[in-house]
Amino acid sequence: MDLKKQIKSEIEKALSLKELEQLRIKYLAKKGKINQLFKEIGSLSQAERKKKGQEINKLKEETEKFFKEKKVQIEKKISFKEDRFIDISLPGKKLQRGHIHPLSQVLEKCEDIFERMGFSVVEGPEIENECYNFDALNFPKDHPARDIQDTLWLKEKRRLMRTHTSPVQVRYMEKNNPPLRIVVPGRVFRNEATDVSHEVQFYQLEGLMIEKETSVVDFRAVIQNFFNEFFGRKVDVRMRPGFFPFTEPSFEIDIRGENGKWLECAGAGMVHPNVLKNAKLNPKDWQGFAFGFGIDRLSMIKYNIDDIRLFYSSDIRFLNQF
């Protein structure tokens, strides 16, 4: 048996990395058999040394290749055995489950409640124009909400990041004939300082109901039913006079917390006749109410969270609680 066959045979019989390393030292180390062959050709002629040296170099390269291939085979077997081995004495590993973001959970719950009351869920663009965001909603030209201090204007002429979800109401009324019942969830943007109760971006849910005969009494029943369903208890609701350009009369909606304190959480009112006209509806034939509230605000009340910034912090310690 020549040396090459002997080396290959011994490598193939190796069962562990330790055995393989011993063979490597035996043949490829500084004092190994292959390096000894180089010393033995010193007495040969130059031509014979060249020829013999090439043969020994080729043997060394092939031997190194045998070792690499065998090492890969042994490592694969070791990895397979480790993967297959189960130590039944070890405690079980708790599976990590993903979490739906608390704002997404609240949005889904709100949509579900309103859908069961006959409302359809409608969405619209986050980038709006001045007409739908202000003009069609009866905002005067000099209204402070149009100022750069409140609105994030874009470089494109009269385009902006919507400041509320109300523009979708007008868009929907233009393309659909009443009677209408819709809710509009979505993200809105304001150019304001961030603190525990304010964010540059947050989520709103807008509601609209247009019919032949719709009154404040209908709105009161809808909003009362919503809060009862959302908080899972009978909620005390009160309505205070307010002002919004797109409703008349307008109301501020408060609910009584479990601690007995009143919390402002929504705005509402009967749709202003000018808004109906802008949507190509005759206010003599149709009337209705609109309302809107912040999803972030409702979430903070429901889960007793005191800082709105937590929703957007991506802190896994916070998100894992939901």
Side-chain angles (χ1 to χ4, degrees):
M1 178 184 288
D2 62 27
L3 185 57
K4 178 180 175 181
K5 290 182 179 180
Q6 179 185 336
I7 293 172
K8 187 174 182 180
S9 175
E10 290 185 19
I11 290 175
E12 287 176 347
K13 292 177 182 178
L15 299 175
S16 66
L17 292 176
K18 184 177 180 180
E19 290 180 25
L20 193 65
E21 178 61 15
Q22 291 173 346
L23 290 174
R24 188 195 69 78
I25 293 172
K26 178 180 177 181
Y27 291 109
L28 292 175
K30 189 174 182 180
K31 295 182 179 180
K33 287 189 177 182
I34 293 179
N35 281 331
Q36 291 298 320
L37 294 177
F38 285 109
K39 297 179 180 180
E40 295 174 2
I41 64 174
S43 59
L44 300 177
S45 66
Q46 185 175 356
E48 290 176 328
R49 277 203 311 272
K50 183 177 180 181
K51 180 181 178 183
K52 199 69 175 176
Q54 289 175 344
E55 292 176 356
I56 297 172
N57 277 325
K58 184 177 181 182
L59 173 64
K60 186 176 181 181
E61 290 175 1
E62 291 178 339
T63 300
E64 289 174 343
K65 183 180 178 183
F66 294 153
F67 274 108
K68 287 180 180 179
E69 291 174 349
K70 185 64 177 180
K71 185 178 180 182
V72 171
Q73 291 178 11
I74 294 175
E75 288 176 340
K76 283 184 178 179
K77 288 182 180 179
I78 292 173
S79 176
F80 178 75
K81 288 180 179 179
E82 289 178 347
D83 290 342
R84 300 278 292 182
F85 177 74
I86 299 176
D87 186 349
I88 60 173
S89 66
L90 292 175
K93 293 182 179 179
K94 184 179 179 180
L95 295 176
Q96 295 294 321
R97 297 181 61 187
H99 297 262
I100 298 177
H101 196 280
L103 292 180
S104 298
Q105 293 184 41
V106 170
L107 264 175
E108 290 177 4
K109 185 174 182 67
C110 292
E111 291 172 5
D112 177 63
I113 294 171
F114 281 112
E115 283 181 319
R116 284 189 274 114
M117 287 193 284
F119 288 78
S120 300
V121 178
V122 178
E123 294 184 346
E126 292 181 351
I127 297 178
E128 265 295 358
N129 59 46
E130 186 177 16
C131 176
Y132 283 111
N133 199 82
F134 294 122
D135 297 339
L137 292 169
N138 201 41
F139 279 81
K141 291 294 183 182
D142 59 351
H143 196 282
R146 296 174 183 256
D147 294 343
I148 191 66
Q149 288 85 355
D150 295 310
T151 303
L152 293 167
W153 292 91
L154 304 179
K155 288 184 177 180
E156 188 178 348
K157 187 177 181 180
R158 311 325 291 170
R159 301 280 282 180
L160 53 96
M161 304 302 295
R162 68 180 181 186
T163 58
H164 47 184
T165 50
S166 301
V168 183
Q169 296 181 13
V170 181
R171 288 180 176 273
Y172 192 82
M173 285 190 287
E174 285 180 339
K175 298 178 180 178
N176 297 271
N177 295 322
L180 307 173
R181 287 190 185 189
I182 64 169
V183 287
V184 185
R187 190 168 51 166
V188 299
F189 308 85
R190 303 280 175 84
N191 187 15
E192 57 188 355
T194 299
D195 56 32
V196 294
S197 58
H198 297 87
E199 259 289 359
V200 173
Q201 65 166 12
F202 53 96
Y203 286 83
Q204 276 190 346
L205 186 137
E206 200 91 9
L208 175 71
M209 182 173 175
I210 301 294
E211 294 185 354
K212 289 285 187 182
E213 295 181 0
T214 305
S215 68
V216 176
V217 175
D218 297 307
F219 165 71
R220 183 69 171 73
V222 168
I223 204 68
Q224 179 71 64
N225 184 66
F226 167 76
F227 284 130
N228 291 349
E229 289 277 335
F230 182 78
F231 290 104
R233 61 182 174 85
K234 178 68 169 65
V235 178
D236 290 333
V237 178
R238 74 178 183 186
M239 300 166 60
R240 295 180 289 108
F243 171 76
F244 304 105
F246 36 86
T247 54
E248 180 58 40
S250 301
F251 320 107
E252 299 283 358
I253 311 301
D254 301 332
I255 62 172
R256 193 194 298 272
E258 292 183 294
N259 59 2
K261 294 182 179 180
W262 288 101
L263 302 168
E264 182 182 330
C265 61
M270 301 302 291
V271 179
H272 199 288
N274 289 344
V275 176
L276 294 173
K277 291 176 183 177
N278 292 334
K280 306 298 188 292
L281 295 180
N282 189 340
K284 293 182 179 180
D285 298 330
W286 301 100
Q287 61 186 37
F289 58 80
F291 59 90
F293 47 76
I295 294 299
D296 307 59
R297 174 69 170 156
L298 277 186
S299 303
M300 292 173 73
I301 296 172
K302 183 175 180 65
Y303 298 118
N304 196 27
I305 296 168
D306 59 5
D307 193 333
I308 191 175
R309 293 170 294 189
L310 288 170
F311 292 125
Y312 304 98
S313 65
S314 298
D315 189 333
I316 198 68
R317 296 169 300 176
F318 172 75
L319 297 177
N320 278 342
Q321 299 177 53
F322 300 92

